[in-house]
Amino acid sequence: MGKVSFTDKAPLLRLAVSAAALTFGFVSPVQAVQFNFVNQITIPGEMLDAAPGAPDGSTPNQNRLGGFGSDLFYDDTNNVWYGLVDRGPGGGLISFETRVEKFTMDVHAATGAISNFQLLDTIKFSNGSGAYNGLNPGLQNGDKSVLGNSFDPEGLVVNKSNGHMYVADEYGPSVIEFDETGSFVRQFTTPANLIPTQPDGADAGTAPDLNYVDGRPTITNGRQDNRGFEGLTVSEDGSKMYAILQDALVNEGSGNQGRRSPNLRIVEFDTATGLATKQVVYQLESIADINARTPGVGDNDFTENQQGRSIGVSAILAMGDDKFLVLERDNRGVGVDPAANALPVASKRVYQIDISGATDVSGISLAGSNSLPGGVIPVTKSLYIDIQAALLAANLPVLEKYEGLMFGPTLPNGRRTLMIANDNDVSVTQSGSGEQFDVCRNTSTGVYTYDNTFGGGCPVGSELLRSSILSFAEVPEPVTSALLLSGLGGMAWLRRRRG
């Protein structure tokens, strides 16, 4: 096995907008004929990250290595990876200082096979008032209308020139810039129509009340609960950030119910100002099409109330020329939820989209119908990789939460690699009353158990649910191989925001 580093690539196209640069990097929009699954690596759930645990032992497993598949970013300049951890174990019910894991792994120069995961560092997020925490705002602040330091990181972009991290948060939803140590730098301005609110409960006619915790019917506008920004990416020139919601807004769709709608929003931000400049519509695959390929009928099928709730987006990745990859999935598969494990998996897919012809819907409501208003054009979309089909063909289990998506090193023969990571929820699940349990897998039988006390460790012969990373490698068209060798990759420069 050999490491493929930045220097193994063909020379990169450089676009110099400013000498005081923010460097992100992008991938050529050349269309691949096919990406083949290469291999999978798994990281034991018992591994610890580089952050110290709770000093008094009152909060177990504070540095259990897991959950870092919420998003991926590859810094090809330094040949290092960043894995983003979301709100941590417990679904927002356990105190957990949010963080990003920095690591390396080998990529075979001929095949793209990955191996030798090595953790380098754990970076925690903080600001002047302390650490950001995965607790939901009601528990963290004692007030559902105060976001405070409650943080559910789900999307990541890293500025390779200075290590600054841009993170999409699901609670807000928010986009926040941190420096290389994880310290707060600034926050982008979230469009008002995305902020969750409930009708004012005190004085009729006053402004709606903020509510960052509850779902419908309590909140009536903004993002659905636990369905905020789920992915983040940057344009090829670094001037725009794109955050994507997991599902439709709570008030949009048939009967003003977002859980019935396939229409979610991608928000474009100006990187320099932090202001939103556009919103476009991404349409999820219809449940009719998903149900048609799902084994069995009846309870195995998705209902209309699950269209915009159990089907959703987990990641977005820019390719250049207004093209992006979007990871779309259902909520089934091997994971910490026993109910999800029991149902047939229906959809784990990567689509390529083009936003160039899409209508700006910043000022357009999508309420009342699952159909788009007249004249509104969504992004175009085509299947890029069927993750589920690839794993089944390799006789591997299909996991629930594939959420990290990032191009890796380009191989010496010009073939691109694409990595997809799974969020293992730190191998913790919870009951309806909030009681927490470790998830353990019997290594002989493969049977999962969900009744072990959180932090107590798994029985002999069992292990915690592992994190995993999948590697895919491009199969290029012969006639385009030379183009791929000479034109892949790029670097972008833009003036730093001052003031």
Side-chain angles (χ1 to χ4, degrees), residues 30 75-76 78 126 147-148 154 218 253 260-261 331 393 405 410 481 483:
V30 177
D75 175 359
D76 57 1
N78 299 296
S126 65
L147 187 58
E154 296 286 359
T218 303
R260 296 186 176 188
S261 175
N331 63 345
L405 180 70
T410 300
S481 295
L483 291 175

Side-chain angles (χ1 to χ4, degrees), residues 129-146:
S129 62
Y132 281 90
N133 200 291
L135 277 172
N136 74 54
L139 295 175
Q140 171 78 359
N141 309 307
D143 187 339
K144 296 177 181 179
S145 69
V146 176

Side-chain angles (χ1 to χ4, degrees), residues 358-439:
T359 305
D360 182 0
V361 294
S362 299
I364 298 175
S365 172
L366 307 179
S369 175
N370 292 337
S371 300
L372 295 177
V376 172
I377 301 172
V379 305
T380 60
K381 174 182 176 184
S382 60
L383 182 63
Y384 202 73
I385 296 176
D386 189 330
I387 302 169
Q388 179 180 352
L391 291 174
L392 292 176
N395 198 31
L396 289 172
V398 181
L399 307 184
E400 179 191 355
K401 292 187 174 182
Y402 294 105
E403 297 188 351
L405 180 70
M406 186 67 192
F407 283 105
T410 300
L411 304 181
N413 61 7
R415 298 166 65 205
R416 292 177 291 180
T417 59
L418 182 67
M419 308 299 169
I420 298 174
N422 175 68
D423 171 14
N424 75 338
D425 283 325
V426 203
S427 199
V428 173
T429 193
Q430 55 275 334
S431 66
S433 62
E435 187 179 8
Q436 303 294 328
F437 304 100
D438 281 334
V439 178

Side-chain angles (χ1 to χ4, degrees), residues 12-143:
L12 299 178
L13 174 67
R14 297 177 182 269
L15 174 61
V17 176
S18 167
L22 296 180
T23 310
F24 295 101
F26 71 100
V27 178
S28 164
V30 177
Q31 174 67 54
V33 175
Q34 182 182 356
F35 271 82
N36 282 348
F37 175 65
V38 180
N39 77 320
Q40 169 183 270
I41 61 170
T42 62
I43 297 92
E46 288 79 8
M47 280 186 63
L48 300 181
D49 69 9
D56 59 0
S58 60
T59 308
N61 301 319
Q62 277 296 290
N63 63 327
R64 178 188 291 182
L65 181 64
F68 59 90
S70 292
D71 205 5
L72 288 175
F73 188 89
Y74 177 57
D75 175 359
D76 57 1
T77 302
N78 299 296
N79 194 31
V80 296
W81 290 84
Y82 295 79
L84 185 66
V85 184
D86 59 12
R87 60 187 175 181
L93 303 180
I94 294 177
S95 179
F96 180 81
E97 294 180 352
T98 53
R99 62 198 68 188
V100 64
E101 307 289 2
K102 192 174 179 180
F103 62 92
T104 60
M105 59 184 178
D106 292 347
V107 181
H108 195 283
T111 66
I114 52 178
S115 63
N116 194 28
F117 175 95
Q118 297 289 329
L119 181 68
L120 298 178
D121 194 14
T122 297
I123 305 169
K124 291 186 177 182
F125 298 114
S126 65
N127 60 20
S129 62
Y132 281 90
N133 200 291
L135 277 172
N136 74 54
L139 295 175
Q140 171 78 359
N141 309 307
D143 187 339

